[in-house]
Every structure is written in structure tokens, then in C-alpha cells.
Amino acid sequence: MKTFKEFSIKQNIIIAMMTIMISVILLSSVSYYFIFNSSMNDIVESGSKEINKQIIFNYENYINDVLNTARQIQQDTIEYDMATSEAELQDIYNKSVKVNENTISIVLLGLDGNIILSSNNVAVQNTYLEEKDWFENALLDYSIFYFSSPHQQNVFRDSNANVISVSKVISYILNGEKQNAVLLIDISTETIVNLSDHTNLGEGGHIVILNDDDSLVYSSISSCYSDTCESITIAKEIIIGGSYVTVDGIKMYASVNTLNATRWRIATFSNVEILNSSRTNMFLILSLIMVVTITVVFYFANIITRRITSPLNKLNKHMLEIQENGVSYSPLEVEGQKEIIILSNAFNNMISEIRILMERVLREQKEKRKTEFIALQTQINPHFLYNTLDSIIWLSENNLNEQVVEMIVALSKYFRISISKGKTIITAKEELEHARSYLLIQKIRYSSKFDYSFVVDENIYDVKAVKLILQPLIENAIYHGISGDEDGIIIIRAYKKEELMVFEVENNGYGLTDSQIDGIYDNMKSEINNTSIGLKNVYQRLKLYYGEKANLEIISELDEKTIVKLTYPLKAKVK
Amino acid sequence: MKKIVILLLIFMFSMTLSSCKKTNYEVPFILYDEEDLFMMSFRDSIFTNNSSDITFRMYDSTDSQIIQNEIINGVLKDSPKLIIVNPVDRLGAYTIIEKSKLTDTPIIFINREPLETDLLSWDKVYYVGAKPEQSAIFQAELVMELFGGNPNDLNHYDLNGDGKIQCIILKGQEGHQDAEIRTEAVVNEMEENGYDLDILKIESADFRTSVAFDLMNELLPIYRDQIEVIFSNNDAMAIGAINALIEDGFFADDNLDGKVDSNTINWIPVVGIDGIEEAIQLIEDGYLYGTVINDSESMAKAVIELSNAIFNDREPDTISYTIELGKYIWIDYEKYSQPIVED
């Protein structure tokens, strides 16, 4: 994986911006989605619960009506003695059936199963009451009204109508004695069906009613007709309470509650597909927002980075061009941010500086070659050699052998140092030795028309010196500084002064006027070659090798003396 | 950068996931109706008698089984060590038991007795309450004492001297187990002891003072001169009846000392059940003849003791109350009445 350092600025900026934006949007979207989801759930859940409550309320009202009728009959039954007032009771039973349109029949059965009293419409058929759960269950607990599942009551009448049997053990009076009997009130299932029809449970929403053994009492949908249908199973698992479920692939909120005064539980399934669709919508909206934002961010990130990087790229391209084609002064014109302009200006300045420096280096190199060529010329000055050899010939012809030897030894030393195995830097001692050899030869040649002396501080012997800087000065001193009428004296001095190495060549000739000295200086520093090569060559070589601190100075007193003084730093690094 | 993002996400998730854990020292206590006078005094008894580590947290079902179901669903989510339920509908209690089985949470039912089959369906269900028959028997005994204790020789409270006791029975809520049993048992007890009851009217006043007041205002014009005793299924209805009687001119405070004399002609014996504070005060002041005190304090103590046993995983039968069938703790009623003055 690439580290961030390997990415370009553009990539970095885009990655940073995208990461920040995506995480911010993602974070807010996710939290918003979850909050939306949970509050949506709450709303749907409480809505479903409300519907469930309403339905239960309706059913309970109905059941209370039934129970009120039943209790009234229970109360009436105990008020009359069956032996004496059967007709009155019969009348009450009949009226109750008439008044309550849901009530189909009212029967009072002895615990042995015989009919004691019944409303008019009951015709006895057969009596296998032991198989009838409304009979059996009523006997289980005397304190409660038992509500049966809808069933066909074929015990008493020819009818296929489904009824719900409400039964309870009650008391009746026979000959002043209290007896127990089972009161059975059959009610039509019509109301239960009707109540479920008027519910607002949405498409596919339905009601199931379960008995305490989780068996199906009633279901408002035809697809649920047995105890094992999906809705029953769900209600069974929930027991009481609510939860989101899926029935037949439809998302529903199932709410299960008990139905007061019965052992029944009623489960309502309300369609909550709206939850799914609104969730999907929210998801789509959030995704859309995300995509749009990311696109916009990407677009702007691109623009911003282009504004930053395009001048940088231009600069980069320019640099590459320079790298390939060398420095050519065509200043870079860049538009963009302040920093970039500063950068490009600095770059332009640098390039022009480099150009100047390069030109200078080029010129200096040229100069150096020239001076070295001249120095080389000086090393093996043929005229000097011819003249010296002539002098030696002349000396030997006059049998001045000692001087011949002296001369040849000096010449040999002179050339050895001149050449110095091609080195350009030698010690001060060798340079002085060279000067001495040269003076000795010239003195013999000029028949002792001048004299010379050395004033040398021995401490400078090991100081490095550029080769052949004294000889041209001495040559000048001999040719220009020796007057005919008195003996010329040339004094060579070498010493340290502070951090400087100093060589002086003094003659006692006519001297030079200030304007003459200025002329020499001008000549020395100019780049035009003219006759006075010696001084200029020395001067330029000093500057070349030792830099700005090296100097050549001419001090002159008219008719007294002239001193040419060379100075250069002791610790100079020779270029 | 990525690490920060991941850390942020982890932080977010941990925030949402870490739902504050509730201390399990709380025992949910679900009342059927906080406005019920007896439940009020019972709740107070629970608080004043509880010196254990556990605290009872009261929930009010506002007399709605649906709300009670919701409360139970809610509290079971926190897996309490047990719950105490005063069921709204005794027939619906089996669902509460089934629901608690899922989380293995023991239940103590109080005050309204679930069906025996339901109680026996799981060994971690208990019932603490009084036997409704007993209250009726005690009520009958109070009346029998008042009439002299001999069914064949009724004293002067048999106003018309016919040897029968003319009575009105104020019944509680129709279909309510207590109402049914109390009504039936009080009549049975009287008759079994040889007293001849002439029931002028049995009418439901829904256990409520105001309903009883209105009902009595209806009945008084008809039965004013015949009534020899009024049986009420609870004190609240008895108070309503007394208020109606006072308005009609009964219970005249002749000497204006704030008390009435039971031996005056315009005094009618009214008996209630429950022993709520107002009823006790009315007995002190001579209005109400007597009541059968539903001993909320004993019941509260039994509930606290049983709760602690279950809470601390002790065997429930180690407590100082007898547990019948491993299920039932029966709290005895107490009779409370004006002193009977023999003349």
C-alpha cells in the first residue's frame, strides 16, 4: 500500500476532503437513519397498539354485554322457585332471547345433563353432554363464565349456525332448596365477525383469537383455519405483548392481549409495510444526498487542487526543460496563489543568478587557461635560455670557469624549479630559491651592474606559493629599475604579516609617478592584453588562486625606490 | 486518520449499545389500580414495613389489563429476580405466568386470586391474599352478633319483629370474583346458621362510593321503612350508603357531639368489608356498624418476607407464614365493629 507521502498533492487533497466528507455524511446519515428508524418504529408500534386496544375495547364491550345478560339471568334464576314459578322464569328466558339479538338460546341444565328450563326455541335432540366442552369446563370452576370456541350446537336444535357457548354453574331454587345447575347461553358468532370487519389493520391485517390452550377460537382471515397457522404460532410465541413479525411475507406488527373476563387472547396483526417503504425511501434519499455530496465535493476538490497544482506543474515542467536543455533565460510566467508566485519568482531569480555565475565561471576558466599558458611560456622562456647559454659561452671563452659552473648550477636549479614536475604550487622556499637562481644568472649576465639581497623570515619556508610569481617582478625590476649611473640594488623580502604572506621586490630605480602606478593598475586589471604581460600575469594568477584577499601593490618614491608587494592569505585554500 | 474514523465509529456504537444496566435490587410491584383505597393502604404498608435490601417499585395498571400486560412486558425485559402482580383480570393471569416462564421470573400474585389451574401450572407462582369467603363469613357473624346471636329470637334490631332480617345487599362489580363470592357466602352463612334473610334487593354498585350513594337514593324511597341491615361487599359502597342515609335523615346526631348512638330509632346497621381508614373512623363515630378488616399490614409483611426469600434464593417455606400447596399464603381477615350494647 502506498503511504501518503507517495501521493501527489492533488491526490492527498482529494483523499483528505473525500474522507472527511464521506465520514461526516456517513456518520450523520447512519445516525439519522437509526433515529428515524427507531422513532418510526415507535410511531408504528404505538399506532398498532392503539388499534389493538380499540379492537379489544370493542370485543370487551361485546363480551360485557353478553356477561351482563348472563348475570341478569343468573340473578333472576335464583329469585324464583322452580317448583312454583317456572312459568315466570320461562318468560324471562324467552324475553332475554328476544331482546338480545345475539342470544340464540338460554338453557338451564341439571348437573346430570337434563334440561331444567330453556327458552322456547330449543328442541332437544340428543344429549352427549360429556363430550361438550362448554359443559365440562363449566364444572371445572364454578366461579367463572366459560366461553367456548365457535362450534355447531347440534345438541339442541337443527341448525348449522355457528355459536359460541357461554356456560357457568349457577344456583336455582327448587322447593326452597338451593341446587346447582349449568346455565348455557348460546350466542351467535356474527358480532365477533362483524367487529373484526370494522378494523383498520391495513391490507392483510387480521385478528386471531386464541383460547388459553393456544387453540384457535376465531380468525378473521380464511387462510388461518387451524391451530397451526402462522398467526397462531406467532401469537403463541409472543404470549402477551407486541413484536414485529412477518406473516405471508408481509411485515406486520403483532399485538397480543388478553380479553377481559374470558380466557381468550386476541392477537391483532396490523400491516406495517409502510415502515419498510418509508425506510427504503429514507435510505434512497440519504444515498442520493451522499452521492450528490460526494460528486460535488469531488468536483470542487478537483478545481481547488487544479488551482494549486497547475502552476506547480508548470514550474515542474519548466525545471525539467532546464534540466534537459540547460539554463536559458526565459523567465517563467505563473498565475495562481501567492505562495506559488513567490516560489516561481524565487526560481526565476535563482535561474538568472545561476546564469551569471555560469558565465563568470566560464570566463574565469578561460582566463585561467590563458594565464597558465603564459606561465608555461615563462617556465621555458627560450629567449632567457638563449641569452643565458650565450652568456655561458662567453664566460667559457674567457675561461671564467668558476662563473660558468656557477651559472650552469643556477640555470639547472632555475629550470628544475620552473618545471617542478608540472606542479603549480610549490613552497615559498623553492620560489625564493628560484628567484635567487634567476638573480644570480642575470647578475653574471649583466656583469654585476646590480646587486641583490634577500630578507627572508625563515618561518615562511613551508608556506605554499604559486609558482613563478617572483621572477616576473624581478625581471621588471632589472629591466626598468636599474639606472645606469648608480649601482642597482634589488631586495627580496618574504615575511608573514598577520594572516598574510608577503613578498616584496624592491629596486632603487627612478621610481614611478602616481599616474604611472595607476596606469599599471588599470592595465593589470583590464582584460585587454598588451605589452606588460609580467605584472598582469602575476596579478591575475594571484587572484585566481587566492581570491579577493590576494593583492599586488606598487609603492614608489621617485628617485628612491619602488616596491612591488605581493600579499595573499596564509590559510587560503588554493583554488 | 483511518484509526480516528474507526475509533469514532466504535465510540458511536458503544454509546448506542451501552444501555444503562438497572440494579436488580428493584422488585417490580404491579398494582391493579393505585386509586383503590385498599391498595393505597396496602402500598403504604409495603413501604413502612420493608426493612430489607430490596426496594419495591410500584407500577399502576389503572384498572386496565392491557396496560398491565404492557407493564409486565416492560419489566420482564430487565430480568428482575421476581415480580409482584395484583392482576386486573384474574382470568388473564395465565398469560402472565406463561410470559414469566420465558425469563424464569417467579411471580407473587396478590389480592386477586388467579384460577387454581393457572397457579398450579408452574412451581414459581405464589398467591398472597385473603379468602373472600372468610370476609363474608365474618361479615355475617358481625350481623348475627348484632341481632342477638339466636336465629330464633332476634332482638330489637328486627324492627318489624317478623323473625326475618330484611336486608339490602350492595354488590361489587358484576362478575368480580370477590363480589360474587362475598355476596353468595354472606347469604349462605346467614342461612346456614338458621337466620332467615329477606333480601329486599341485591344490586351492584361497582365497589364505588358514588355509585352506592346514587343507588341508595333510588332504593330508599321504596324500602326506607323495611331495611333492617345493609350488607356491602366493601367499605367504599358502605360509606356511599351511609351518606345517602344521612341525607335521608338517618343517623341524626342528637347531641351534636359528632357521634351517633346506635340505639336510636334512626340508626341502621351497615356492614362493610376491607377496613379502610374512613370506615374505621365511621365506626368510631357510631355511623358504620362494622367492617371486616382486610389486613393489609399482615399481607404486606407476608409479601415482603416471601419476596426476600425468593430474592435471596431461599426456600419459600422457610418464612414465618404457612404456604399451602406451596402456593397460597392466606391472610386472615379481622372483624371490627361498634360495641354491642345490650339493653
Side-chain angles (χ1 to χ4, degrees), chain A residues 1 4 15-16 19-20 23 27 30-31 34 49 52-53 56-57 60 68 71 74-75 141 143-145 171 178 210-212 237-242 256-265, chain B residues 1-2 5 8-9 12-13 63-67 69-70 72-73 88-96 98-100 102 115-118 171 174-177 180-181 184 187-188 191 202-203:
Chain A
M1 197 185 146
F4 282 96
I15 287 169
T19 317
I20 291 166
S23 41
L27 226 63
V30 165
S31 38
F34 277 110
K49 277 180 180 167
N52 175 267
K53 274 181 198 169
I56 287 171
F57 182 73
E60 279 182 356
N68 281 339
R71 285 195 193 107
Q74 178 184 4
Q75 210 171 313
D141 194 324
S143 69
I144 57 170
F145 281 96
S171 302
K178 211 182 248 183
L210 299 85
N211 215 335
D212 55 359
E237 271 168 23
I238 293 175
I239 302 173
I240 43 168
V256 188
N257 255 311
T258 49
L259 210 50
N260 263 356
T262 69
R263 301 279 282 170
W264 291 353
R265 274 178 296 152
Chain B
M1 181 103 139
K2 268 175 191 167
V5 171
L8 264 173
L9 283 174
M12 286 248 314
F13 277 114
D63 202 13
S64 156
Q65 188 61 49
I66 298 174
I67 290 173
N69 290 347
E70 266 176 32
I72 286 166
N73 267 327
V88 177
D89 178 21
R90 59 191 288 259
L91 296 181
Y94 79 97
T95 57
I96 300 170
E98 290 302 314
K99 199 78 187 176
S100 290
L102 297 181
L115 298 190
E116 196 178 351
T117 48
D118 294 340
K171 201 177 162 185
E174 283 291 356
H176 194 292
Q177 188 205 16
E180 302 293 341
I181 292 177
E184 203 182 324
V187 173
N188 281 348
E191 288 176 349
I202 298 181
E203 192 82 52

Side-chain angles (χ1 to χ4, degrees), chain B residues 81-227:
Chain B
K81 283 208 85 170
L82 77 148
I83 58 172
I84 298 169
V85 183
N86 173 199
V88 177
D89 178 21
R90 59 191 288 259
L91 296 181
Y94 79 97
T95 57
I96 300 170
I97 296 170
E98 290 302 314
K99 199 78 187 176
S100 290
K101 274 184 190 171
L102 297 181
T103 50
D104 200 32
T105 310
I107 318 170
I108 302 174
F109 285 108
I110 53 162
N111 205 44
R112 224 170 252 183
E113 185 191 343
L115 298 190
E116 196 178 351
T117 48
D118 294 340
L119 279 178
L120 293 174
S121 68
W122 194 33
D123 60 347
K124 289 180 180 170
V125 193
Y126 304 90
Y127 175 71
V128 178
K131 281 184 171 156
E133 295 90 350
Q134 194 189 38
S135 66
I137 289 166
F138 283 3
Q139 195 178 40
E141 282 172 7
L142 279 174
V143 173
M144 289 188 280
E145 281 165 33
L146 183 73
F147 280 83
N150 183 354
N152 299 317
D153 180 23
L154 300 180
N155 61 15
H156 63 281
Y157 286 107
D158 177 18
L159 297 174
N160 56 8
D162 65 349
K164 290 182 182 177
I165 298 171
Q166 274 73 31
C167 68
I168 283 177
I169 300 177
L170 298 177
K171 201 177 162 185
Q173 191 188 327
E174 283 291 356
H176 194 292
Q177 188 205 16
D178 281 355
E180 302 293 341
I181 292 177
R182 281 173 184 176
T183 306
E184 203 182 324
V186 77
V187 173
N188 281 348
E189 185 67 14
M190 293 296 285
E191 288 176 349
E192 269 170 31
N193 282 285
Y195 288 83
D196 204 351
L197 266 192
D198 182 6
I199 302 167
L200 301 171
K201 193 78 187 172
I202 298 181
E203 192 82 52
S204 168
D206 213 18
F207 283 131
R208 280 153 63 188
T209 304
S210 60
V211 180
F213 178 80
D214 294 341
L215 178 65
M216 277 311 290
N217 279 338
E218 270 175 47
L219 296 179
L220 271 174
I222 310 167
Y223 303 109
R224 175 203 303 265
D225 300 325
Q226 302 170 50
I227 306 169

Side-chain angles (χ1 to χ4, degrees), chain A residues 439 450-453 455 470 473-474 476-478 481-482 488-493 503-509 555-557 560-565:
Chain A
L439 278 167
F450 67 92
D451 208 346
Y452 63 90
S453 69
V455 183
L470 288 179
L473 305 183
I474 296 167
N476 270 355
I478 293 168
I482 307 298
I489 293 171
I490 292 170
I491 304 167
I492 311 294
R493 293 190 189 87
F503 286 106
E504 281 181 19
V505 178
E506 186 185 326
N507 66 68
N508 59 344
I555 306 153
S556 185
E557 285 174 49
E560 279 297 322
K561 58 182 177 183
T562 303
I563 300 171
V564 178
K565 191 175 177 183

Side-chain angles (χ1 to χ4, degrees), chain A residues 129-257:
Chain A
L129 294 177
E130 294 75 16
E131 292 172 10
K132 294 294 163 190
D133 59 351
W134 54 260
F135 191 79
E136 294 296 309
N137 282 307
L139 296 177
L140 280 180
D141 194 324
Y142 287 15
S143 69
I144 57 170
F145 281 96
Y146 172 77
F147 281 76
S148 79
S149 304
H151 62 115
Q152 288 187 352
Q153 185 65 284
N154 52 10
V155 180
F156 303 121
R157 73 193 82 81
D158 282 314
S159 169
N160 290 327
N162 266 0
V163 296
I164 290 167
S165 295
V166 182
S167 56
K168 183 183 188 289
V169 173
I170 63 164
S171 302
Y172 72 100
I173 312 290
L174 184 64
N175 294 322
E177 291 290 315
K178 211 182 248 183
Q179 307 274 347
N180 279 337
V182 174
L183 175 69
L184 168 72
I185 301 173
D186 282 345
I187 54 173
S188 77
T189 55
E190 205 181 315
T191 313
I192 284 187
V193 177
N194 283 346
L195 282 174
S196 72
D197 283 345
H198 296 98
T199 54
N200 182 26
L201 292 167
E203 207 184 323
H206 59 278
I207 296 171
V208 291
I209 300 176
L210 299 85
N211 215 335
D212 55 359
D213 57 357
D214 292 325
S215 62
L216 175 69
V217 170
Y218 167 72
S219 149
S220 69
I221 46 164
S222 52
S223 61
C224 183
Y225 50 83
S226 76
D227 294 352
T228 52
C229 84
E230 205 176 355
S231 304
I232 294 283
T233 315
I234 288 166
K236 216 159 136 181
E237 271 168 23
I238 293 175
I239 302 173
I240 43 168
S243 130
Y244 285 101
V245 296
T246 309
V247 183
D248 289 334
I250 303 171
K251 181 122 170 124
M252 302 260 192
Y253 186 80
S255 198
V256 188
N257 255 311

Side-chain angles (χ1 to χ4, degrees), chain A residues 368-386 388 410-426 431 434 437-438 441 465-469 471-472 475 533-534 537-538 541 545:
Chain A
K368 198 171 176 180
R369 270 204 306 278
K370 204 156 70 191
T371 48
E372 271 170 1
F373 179 70
I374 292 163
L376 200 67
Q377 270 189 329
T378 318
Q379 282 172 23
I380 47 159
N381 189 340
H383 293 290
F384 173 70
L385 184 60
Y386 300 154
T388 307
L411 189 64
S412 135
K413 199 179 267 174
Y414 175 86
F415 275 109
R416 194 162 59 235
I417 293 170
S418 281
I419 292 160
S420 297
K421 297 174 186 169
K423 287 189 286 186
T424 41
I425 305 295
I426 55 174
E431 181 64 19
H434 183 257
S437 307
Y438 179 71
I441 292 164
V466 177
K467 190 168 72 178
L468 306 187
I469 47 172
Q471 187 267 336
E475 192 178 334
I533 293 166
N537 182 251
V538 169
R541 276 162 66 210
Y545 286 105

Side-chain angles (χ1 to χ4, degrees), chain A residues 389-401 404:
Chain A
L389 289 173
D390 279 348
S391 298
I392 290 170
I393 292 164
W394 183 82
L395 285 172
S396 48
E397 275 174 356
N398 290 294
N399 288 328
L400 294 168
N401 293 335
V404 168

